[in-house]
Amino acid sequence: MKYKELIKKMTLEEKASLMSGKDFWQTQDLPQHGINSIFLADGPHGIRKQAEAADHLGLNESIPATCFPTAATVANSWSVELAEKIGDYLGIEAVAQKVNVLLGPGINMKRNPLAGRNFEYFSEDPYLAGKLAAGMIRGIQSHGISACVKHYAVNNQEERRMVIDTIVDERTLREIYLTAFEIAIKEGQTKAVMSAYNMLNGVHTNENMHIMQDILRKEWGYDGVVVTDWGGSNDRVAGLLAGNELEMPTTAGETNQEIIQAIRSGKLQEEVLDECVDRMLDLIFTTEEVYAKPYKQQFDVDEHHRAAQKAAEESIVLLKNEGNILPLKQGVKVAVIGDFANEARYQGAGSSIVNPTKLDQPWNGLKESGFVTIGYEPGFERYGKKSRKRIEKACALAKNADVVLLYIGLDEATEAEGLDRHDMRIPQNQIDLLDALYQVNPNIVAILSCGAAVEMPWIGKVKGLLHGYLSGQAGAKAMLRILSGEVNPSGKLAETYPLQYEDTPSYRYFPGKEVSVEYREGPFIGYRYFDTANVEVRFPFGFGLSYTTFEYSDLQVDRDGVTFSITNTGSMAGMEVAQLYVGCESGLIFRPDKELKGFVKVHLNAGETKRVTIAFDDKTFRYFNVKTDRWEIEEADYKMMIGASSADIRLQDRLFVEGTEAPIPYEKEKLPTYYSGKTNDVSVEEFEALIGRKVPVSKWDRTRPLGYNDTIAQCQYAKGGLARFAFWLISFSYWFLRKIGKRSTANIIMMSIYHMPFRGISRMTGGVINMPMLDGILMIANGQLLKGAGHLLRERKKLVKGAKGL
C-alpha cells in the first residue's frame, strides 16, 4: 500500500467515512490528516458542474462549458487522435472548473437501437469503442485529473435500469460487453471506473466478484478506484468486498456505520477496508496535485469552440448524394425548412446535459454565409404535434427554391437518460412534411439530427442526406462547411442502420420489462448479426460517402499485420477510413462472419496514394473459451478483409494461424441457431444450453411483499391501498403531462420515480430518508398502514435527534 503510514493514523470511523460522498458531488474530507474533498462532475462531452443545487437529471443549470459532440457522434470520426484531442480540451476545462474526476467516457455497447442512452455511447463494436475511449481518457488525464469510464458493465437499457438482471453467457460477456472496458482500462490507464446500476447474472455489478475482482482487478491489473453510479449501491459491505471503494452520493454516514459494524462483527476484514482507502487516497492525492500549484482558471472559449467545430466536421456522415447534389453549387436558391434549423438539436438529455459557452444556430449561420437563402419556415412542431398550416407555408417557400435544406430528427424528450425510445421512427409530422415537400420540389437535402439509428422508409424522397448526429455547440457551422464543400465529409457510421426495427437481433429480447433481460442473441449484435445472417440493411456499419473517391490496392499480409495502398481517385482532398475485418474459416466454433480488428484514417490529396499498415494485436485472433475459462486462438485459416465498410470489402487474403490447442467448447448439435448466426429468435432451451444453466424467471412474483429492490412501478400490485393510489397518481401524471405537451416534465417522472427501486429513495436523498425510515414506507406499501406510519415517524424523530446531537 502506498499510504500505509497515513492509514495507520486513521480511526476506523475516519477510514469508513472516505468510502462515501460528503454531498452529491464531493468526496469526504479529513483535514486533520491533510485529506481534501475532491469534486466529481458529469462530462462525457462537456463539463457539467452545477452552480446551484445538485441533481442527477440535468435540471439545474451548470457552469458554462464547451459542449463537444456526443460520443455517438465522435465515434463516426473513427479517429483516435480526434478523441484524444477532445479529451485534452475536456481536461483543460475540468481543471479550470476545479474538477478532479470527469465522469466519462461512456462505452457500453449499442445492443439495441432503442436504448435511451445510445447517444452517450460510441458504438456497437467493442474494438472501435475501446480505442476511442482510450484516446479520450489519455487526453483528459494528461492534465493530472482522472477520467471515469462507465458504466461497468452490460448496462444496455434504461427501463428498470437500477434493478434489471442481465442474463448473458460468459463468452458474449467477455468478447462483446467487456472488451471495450479492457482496452480503455489497459490502454487509457483510467484512474476511475463507474460501476453500473444493473445486476449481472443475479448479482449487482458493483458486488459482482467475477467482473470486479476476477476480471477487473486480477486479469486486467486495474488498481484504480471504482465508484458507484449515483444511488447505485445495494449492499454496501458486499460492494466493498468486491472492491467498490466510493459510494455516491452521500448517505449522511448511514452506510459508514454498516462498514464499521461489519468489521467489528468479523464479516469484513479491516485489511480489505485499508486497501480500498489506499486506492481512494491515491485518487485524491494524485488529482489534487494540479491544484497545489497555480493553475489556469480560465480557458479560451473561442479556441475550444473551434475545436468543437473541427470535431463535428470530422464526424458528420454523408449517407446519400444522388446526382451529386452536394456540395451545393454557387448561386443556387436555398429554402431552409425544419424547426431544428432555427433551434439546433445538438446534445442529449439527462446527466450529460451541458450549458454551452456559445451556440451556433443553422438558420443564423445560413443567413450570414454565402448561400442564396430565400427564407425559413419551421414546417413542423418540434414535439410532434401536427400542423397543416406549417406544412402549407413550408411548401409555398419550397416551390421557389432550387434546393430545399430540410432539418429533421429526434427531439430532446425522445432521447434522454432514464428512458428507452418507443420505436425507431422520426415523428410522423416530419414525415408528412417531407411527403408534401417532395410533391412541390424533389431537390431535397435532409440534415438529420439524432443520437441513434432511425428507420428511413422515406429516404427515396431525398436526394441528399447528411447525418450530424448530436454535434455539439458548433455543429451548425460544421454542417454548413460540409454543405458548401469547404470540408469534405469523412465520417462513417459506428453502428448499423437496419431497414426496420424488427430486423434487429435483439428485437424480441429488449427491453427486460420486469425482473430480467435475456441476451439470447449472444455475440451476434450489430453488423456481426446482419453480415452473418445475410440480413439486408439500410446502411452498413462503417458506411459513409465522400465528395471524392478512393481506390484500394496491393494488399500484403504477414504475421504482424496487413499493408495496402489507398489512392484518392477523385478531384478533391479527403479522408478515408479503411477497416480491417477478420473472419475465421474453420466452423468448429460459432463466430460472426467478420469482426473489426483494426482501422486507420488517412488524409489524401487528389491523386495521392499512401501505403498504410494496420498491425495485429492480442485481440486479432482470440476468442473466449468457456471450457478453459481463458482467451484462446483457434488454429485455422483466417480471412483478412480490408473494407470501406463491413459490407464493402475491397481487398481480401487468407492467413493460416496456429492455435493454442484448446478443446472445442460447444456441442454443435445443441446450438444450431448460434452456428447459423441467425439468432433473432432463439428458444429458451437453446439459450439455456449456451449459458449452461436454467434461465431465471423473468416475471415479478406478484404475491410476495414489496422489498428494497422492487420499484415504484410495482406498487400497482401492492397490498396497501395507499401504494396503489400513489402508483395510479404517478401514472396519471405521466399520461396527463404528455397529453398537454409537457413531455420533458413527464420524462422526469419516469426517470426519477417510476423505475426507482425503494432503496433508491434512501440512496438518492442524501440521508433525508434512511433505511429504517424506508422500512416504514415498505410496511405502508405492503398494507400495514398504521404500523408503517408509526415506524416511519419514530425513525424520523431518531434521525432528527441524532442530527441535532452532532
Side-chain angles (χ1 to χ4, degrees):
M1 294 195 300
K2 290 177 69 173
Y3 305 97
K4 189 174 182 178
E5 295 306 313
L6 175 57
I7 292 170
K8 278 183 181 178
K9 297 175 184 176
M10 296 165 64
T11 65
L12 177 57
E13 288 75 12
E14 288 171 338
K15 290 187 287 189
S17 73
L18 289 174
M19 297 294 96
S20 62
K22 178 181 181 179
D23 54 30
F24 207 83
W25 296 115
Q26 293 186 94
T27 64
Q28 184 64 49
D29 60 335
L30 294 173
Q32 65 271 31
H33 294 294
I35 300 169
N36 297 327
S37 295
I38 60 172
F39 198 97
L40 298 88
D42 282 314
H45 60 272
I47 317 301
R48 189 177 79 94
K49 185 175 183 181
Q50 289 174 301
E52 303 298 334
D55 71 85
H56 195 47
L57 301 174
L59 303 181
N60 295 317
E61 196 169 78
S62 54
I63 299 167
T66 307
C67 180
F68 289 92
T70 67
T73 314
V74 175
N76 296 330
S77 75
W78 290 65
S79 172
V80 175
E81 294 76 16
L82 178 66
E84 188 161 346
K85 194 63 181 173
I86 292 171
D88 181 30
Y89 283 107
L90 288 171
I92 291 170
E93 295 193 24
V95 170
Q97 294 192 24
K98 207 172 181 185
V99 169
N100 300 76
V101 180
L102 197 57
L103 302 175
I107 59 172
N108 293 95
M109 289 299 95
K110 297 187 180 186
R111 174 183 179 242
N112 185 283
L114 301 187
R117 227 164 165 179
N118 277 347
F119 65 88
E120 277 190 63
Y121 298 139
F122 287 108
S123 178
E124 67 189 32
D125 182 83
Y127 192 87
L128 177 59
K131 290 291 185 179
L132 293 171
M136 188 170 284
I137 291 164
R138 288 192 294 269
I140 292 168
Q141 295 191 165
S142 67
H143 297 278
I145 63 162
S146 173
C148 182
V149 68
K150 61 184 185 181
H151 303 89
Y152 185 71
V154 288
N155 181 206
N156 305 108
Q157 70 175 64
E158 293 301 283
E159 186 163 334
R160 291 180 49 77
R161 62 179 177 165
M162 292 183 76
V163 288
I164 198 72
D165 187 7
T166 299
I167 310 301
V168 61
D169 69 284
E170 183 70 10
R171 181 179 167 205
T172 298
L173 173 69
R174 301 297 293 265
E175 293 185 10
I176 303 298
Y177 297 100
L178 295 188
T179 291
F181 285 97
E182 179 185 0
I183 295 170
I185 288 164
K186 287 182 176 179
E187 298 182 16
Q189 293 291 300
T190 186
K191 296 179 182 180
V193 172
M194 183 186 290
S195 54
Y197 281 130
N198 54 283
M199 300 171 75
L200 169 60
N201 293 325
V203 183
H204 287 271
T205 56
N206 77 308
E207 302 167 10
N208 193 304
M209 296 297 284
H210 180 50
I211 65 167
M212 293 284 285
Q213 285 292 332
D214 297 342
I215 298 173
L216 179 65
R217 299 290 186 190
K218 295 173 185 175
E219 185 178 323
W220 297 347
Y222 178 68
D223 60 359
V225 164
V226 176
V227 56
T228 67
D229 203 341
W230 266 236
S233 177
N234 173 53
D235 182 320
R236 187 66 192 101
V237 175
L240 205 66
L241 280 165
N244 195 149
E245 288 82 9
L246 180 59
E247 174 189 27
M248 291 299 286
T250 182
T251 59
E254 183 179 15
T255 54
N256 299 349
Q257 289 304 313
E258 293 175 12
I259 294 169
I260 292 165
Q261 289 167 15
I263 288 172
R264 287 176 176 163
S265 69
K267 183 180 178 182
L268 177 69
Q269 296 299 310
E270 193 164 355
E271 290 78 9
V272 173
L273 175 61
D274 289 349
E275 288 176 6
C276 290
V277 170
D278 191 66
R279 289 192 288 260
M280 191 67 210
L281 289 175
D282 197 51
L283 181 67
I284 293 169
F285 291 144
T286 58
T287 60
E288 278 286 283
E289 285 176 7
V290 67
Y291 303 116
K293 50 186 182 286
Y295 64 94
K296 287 187 178 181
Q297 299 184 37
Q298 301 290 331
F299 61 91
D300 189 325
V301 170
D302 292 332
E303 179 191 344
H304 285 221
H305 186 74
R306 288 192 297 271
Q309 179 184 316
K310 174 70 169 61
E313 287 171 1
E314 202 168 327
S315 304
I316 291 168
V317 188
L318 176 62
L319 293 175
K320 186 176 181 180
N321 195 16
E322 183 181 321
N324 291 322
I325 193 170
L326 294 173
L328 295 175
K329 314 300 184 287
Q330 282 197 337
V332 299
K333 293 186 295 181
V334 175
V336 182
I337 296 172
D339 186 78
F340 296 144
N342 187 55
E343 188 177 340
R345 173 81 209 289
Y346 63 98
Q347 66 174 327
S351 64
S352 69
I353 198 165
V354 177
N355 181 18
T357 55
K358 51 170 65 177
L359 181 58
D360 292 343
Q361 298 291 2
W363 173 230
N364 291 339
L366 281 159
K367 287 188 293 185
E368 296 165 5
S369 71
F371 291 109
V372 181
T373 53
I374 64 169
Y376 161 75
E377 285 292 339
F380 62 86
E381 196 276 334
R382 192 178 192 90
Y383 294 104
K385 186 178 179 181
K386 294 192 176 185
S387 171
R388 174 49 54 184
K389 188 175 181 182
R390 288 194 178 195
I391 290 177
E392 289 171 353
K393 284 186 173 182
C395 288
L397 179 66
K399 285 178 183 176
N400 301 313
D402 297 320
V403 175
V404 174
L405 293 184
L406 177 61
Y407 285 76
I408 56 176
L410 299 177
D411 60 68
E412 293 84 351
T414 299
E415 294 185 288
E417 178 184 354
L419 296 162
D420 297 312
R421 288 157 60 200
H422 296 295
D423 55 54
M424 276 188 69
R425 299 186 292 273
I426 64 171
Q428 186 60 44
N429 65 340
Q430 297 182 34
I431 296 172
D432 292 343
L433 170 64
L434 173 57
D435 290 342
L437 290 172
Y438 182 72
Q439 298 300 317
V440 300
N441 190 336
N443 294 320
I444 300 170
V445 174
I447 291 99
L448 187 60
S449 298
C450 53
V454 293
E455 293 173 352
M456 299 181 187
W458 41 263
I459 196 168
K461 294 180 179 177
V462 301
K463 287 188 176 178
L465 178 57
L466 279 165
H467 199 341
Y469 269 71
L470 301 178
S471 52
Q473 66 181 50
K477 178 67 179 297
M479 186 63 74
L480 292 182
R481 282 168 58 81
I482 298 282
L483 287 166
S484 69
E486 290 178 75
V487 173
N488 191 346
S490 63
K492 294 201 174 192
L493 294 175
E495 60 189 319
T496 308
Y497 276 56
L499 290 172
Q500 58 185 357
Y501 176 57
E502 291 77 8
D503 293 338
T504 59
S506 57
Y507 161 65
R508 289 178 174 83
Y509 327 124
F510 179 93
K513 301 296 287 186
E514 296 191 3
V515 174
S516 62
V517 55
E518 296 165 10
Y519 284 35
R520 292 198 197 181
E521 70 279 3
F524 296 94
I525 74 165
Y527 73 91
R528 285 171 167 79
Y529 166 74
F530 293 111
D531 289 356
T532 306
N534 293 313
V535 176
E536 185 182 356
V537 299
R538 180 71 66 191
F539 295 113
F541 176 78
F543 176 83
L545 300 174
S546 171
Y547 294 153
T548 189
T549 53
F550 300 96
E551 184 178 281
Y552 293 63
S553 62
D554 193 17
L555 173 63
Q556 293 183 339
V557 179
D558 61 31
R559 300 201 174 277
D560 297 319
V562 296
T563 302
F564 54 96
S565 297
I566 305 179
T567 302
N568 183 340
T569 53
S571 58
M572 182 178 185
M575 289 187 281
E576 172 70 341
V577 176
Q579 303 149 43
L580 166 65
Y581 295 92
V582 174
C584 180
E585 297 196 309
S586 85
L588 293 175
I589 300 168
F590 68 80
R591 301 174 92 151
D593 180 63
K594 61 176 77 76
E595 296 183 278
L596 183 74
K597 298 297 181 179
F599 56 93
V600 62
K601 192 165 191 175
V602 184
H603 182 275
L604 294 162
N605 292 319
E608 185 181 9
T609 298
K610 282 185 180 176
R611 193 85 177 140
V612 296
T613 296
I614 300 176
F616 298 152
D617 60 21
D618 63 330
K619 297 167 187 67
T620 304
F621 303 107
R622 74 178 191 178
Y623 75 96
F624 192 81
N625 188 302
V626 293
K627 271 192 176 178
T628 63
D629 195 33
R630 66 184 186 189
W631 295 101
E632 305 282 4
I633 294 174
E634 185 179 1
E635 185 167 297
D637 285 321
Y638 288 80
K639 288 185 293 185
M640 301 288 116
M641 295 166 275
I642 306 299
S645 77
S646 70
D648 183 11
I649 302 302
R650 304 290 184 89
L651 303 171
Q652 189 167 311
D653 202 347
R654 280 175 172 74
L655 178 69
F656 176 77
V657 177
E658 294 179 353
T660 50
E661 299 183 351
I664 303 301
Y666 305 113
E667 295 178 55
K668 191 172 184 177
E669 65 276 6
K670 292 184 178 180
L671 301 168
T673 307
Y674 293 101
Y675 275 88
S676 74
K678 298 176 181 178
T679 57
N680 63 331
D681 191 8
V682 178
S683 69
V684 66
E685 293 79 14
E686 191 171 348
F687 185 52
E688 287 177 341
L690 179 69
I691 64 176
R693 63 185 186 279
K694 283 286 185 184
V695 173
V697 176
S698 63
K699 300 292 184 183
W700 289 319
D701 180 355
R702 290 161 171 75
T703 63
R704 64 170 178 77
L706 296 174
Y708 293 141
N709 278 313
D710 292 313
T711 64
I712 308 303
Q714 288 170 259
C715 284
Q716 60 188 299
Y717 309 115
K719 291 181 180 178
L722 192 60
R724 293 197 303 274
F725 176 74
F727 169 79
W728 177 87
L729 189 63
I730 291 165
S731 300
F732 175 79
S733 300
Y734 175 72
W735 172 85
F736 181 73
L737 288 166
R738 284 182 65 87
K739 191 76 174 174
I740 64 173
K742 302 287 186 181
R743 290 175 60 206
S744 294
T745 309
N747 287 351
I748 291 167
I749 290 175
M750 196 60 63
M751 283 189 283
S752 60
I753 302 174
Y754 192 84
H755 292 304
M756 176 77 76
F758 278 94
R759 65 173 163 81
I761 297 171
S762 173
R763 298 297 192 224
M764 292 293 280
T765 54
V768 175
I769 297 174
N770 62 15
M771 294 300 281
M773 290 172 65
L774 186 60
D775 289 335
I777 293 172
L778 281 168
M779 288 179 197
I780 295 170
N782 288 316
Q784 298 175 294
L785 177 61
L786 295 178
K787 184 179 179 182
H791 184 90
L792 178 63
L793 291 172
R794 285 193 299 274
E795 293 301 331
R796 177 63 186 164
K797 284 180 182 177
K798 285 183 191 176
L799 185 67
V800 172
K801 187 177 180 181
K804 286 180 179 177
L806 293 174

